[in-house]
Amino acid sequence: MQRMNAERLASGTILIAVLVLGLKLVAWWLTDSVALLSDALESFVNVGGAVMAWMAVHYAKKPADVGHPFGHYKAEYFSAVLEGIMIIIAALLIVQQSVQALGNLSETAEWGRAGLLVNGAALVLNLLWARLLITRGGALNSPALIAGGRHLMSDVWTSVGVLFGLVLAMVTGWAILDPLLALLVAVNILREGYGVVASSVNGLMDSAAPEEERARIEEVLHHAAAGALQVHGLKTRRAGVALFVECHMVVEGTMTVQASHTICDRIEERIQTSFPEAQVTIHVEPEHKLEPSGIAPV
């Protein structure tokens, strides 16, 4: 159900991205503003990113197979990296457009209000959808949806700055504000692109689960490992929606395999109650493997 929700959100993002792109192109056509053109160029990236996110979410939900025994969860990270690269390319294109515009300035800034209103409508639509993607993407542990939401939020702030600047340019008549705003847009997009790429590459490097999640797992081990002597060597890693948990459980040497297996089953069940997506691996060891820093069951 969770993956289906993620796939629906990814599909909706494509429709929203196309609609927002259409609105921004209309706004640019009505004004011929290079700043609004730069805003529209970023929306081209949004469309491509939305398509890649849908493909990644769809592929990531495939079950494990012989070639991929740990599943296909990391497909979302690849999508996020590609989207980050596309964001950076869009920023460079905006820089090119801005530099050209600086060399061909008109004397006054004259833009119709209609184009600004259309761009404002695109801004509101982007804001509502970005908040939904970030909230639901976090709940679903979907790197592709979170990256898409973060990108849309950067687009929102870009549009806010552009609209404010263009209104200021209309009031003052300073046409130079238009290409200068476009350059500021490019800097903001470059920053966001770098952030998306960095966080996604970190995920590909098998980064540990957040401290909050690790603390919850340690609390589960503290109570669920009753009957064992200690749990140590806890390792966690996130791979998209999946959470992998590994640890060593120390028991008395005389304990039967059946008894230790019962404790392992209880630990797995309790962890998966808190994290349904968790895949737990427990290595059972005799008492001479005790470590000073281990977790003592209650």
Side-chain angles (χ1 to χ4, degrees), residues 21-190:
L21 172 61
L23 289 172
K24 289 187 176 183
L25 287 175
V26 169
W28 168 59
W29 177 71
L30 290 172
T31 61
D32 200 31
S33 161
V34 69
L36 290 183
L37 173 60
S38 68
D39 210 5
L41 281 175
E42 186 177 7
S43 289
F44 269 112
V45 178
N46 290 350
V47 174
V51 173
M52 288 191 298
W54 178 86
M55 293 174 62
V57 169
H58 181 73
Y59 186 77
K61 74 175 185 178
K62 292 178 62 177
D65 53 35
V66 176
H68 304 87
F70 293 99
H72 302 78
Y73 306 106
K74 288 191 176 182
E76 293 196 39
Y77 290 114
F78 287 104
S79 167
V81 169
L82 289 174
E83 182 168 359
I85 293 172
M86 290 177 65
I87 294 172
I88 293 171
I89 292 174
L92 296 177
L93 290 174
I94 293 170
V95 170
Q96 180 188 29
Q97 293 291 327
S98 304
V99 171
Q100 290 179 355
L102 281 170
N104 188 28
L105 290 175
S106 60
E107 295 183 358
T108 59
E110 298 179 357
W111 298 291
R113 294 181 180 179
L116 302 185
L117 290 174
V118 171
N119 210 65
L123 184 158
V124 173
L125 186 58
N126 254 350
L127 174 62
L128 295 175
W129 195 257
R131 290 176 63 87
L132 178 64
L133 282 182
I134 292 172
T135 301
R136 292 298 301 153
L140 297 170
N141 289 306
S142 171
L145 293 182
I146 294 172
R150 286 179 58 188
H151 183 195
L152 288 184
M153 280 305 299
S154 76
D155 196 11
V156 168
W157 288 114
T158 293
S159 297
V160 169
V162 166
L163 287 175
F164 177 79
L166 291 181
V167 170
L168 181 62
M170 289 177 65
V171 172
T172 62
W174 297 344
I176 194 173
L177 287 177
D178 185 27
L180 289 179
L181 279 170
L183 284 173
L184 290 176
V185 169
V187 171
N188 180 60
I189 295 173
L190 279 171

Side-chain angles (χ1 to χ4, degrees), residues 84 87-88 150 188-200:
I87 294 172
I88 293 171
R150 286 179 58 188
N188 180 60
I189 295 173
L190 279 171
R191 179 190 60 80
E192 182 63 26
Y194 172 79
V196 170
V197 171
S199 62
S200 302

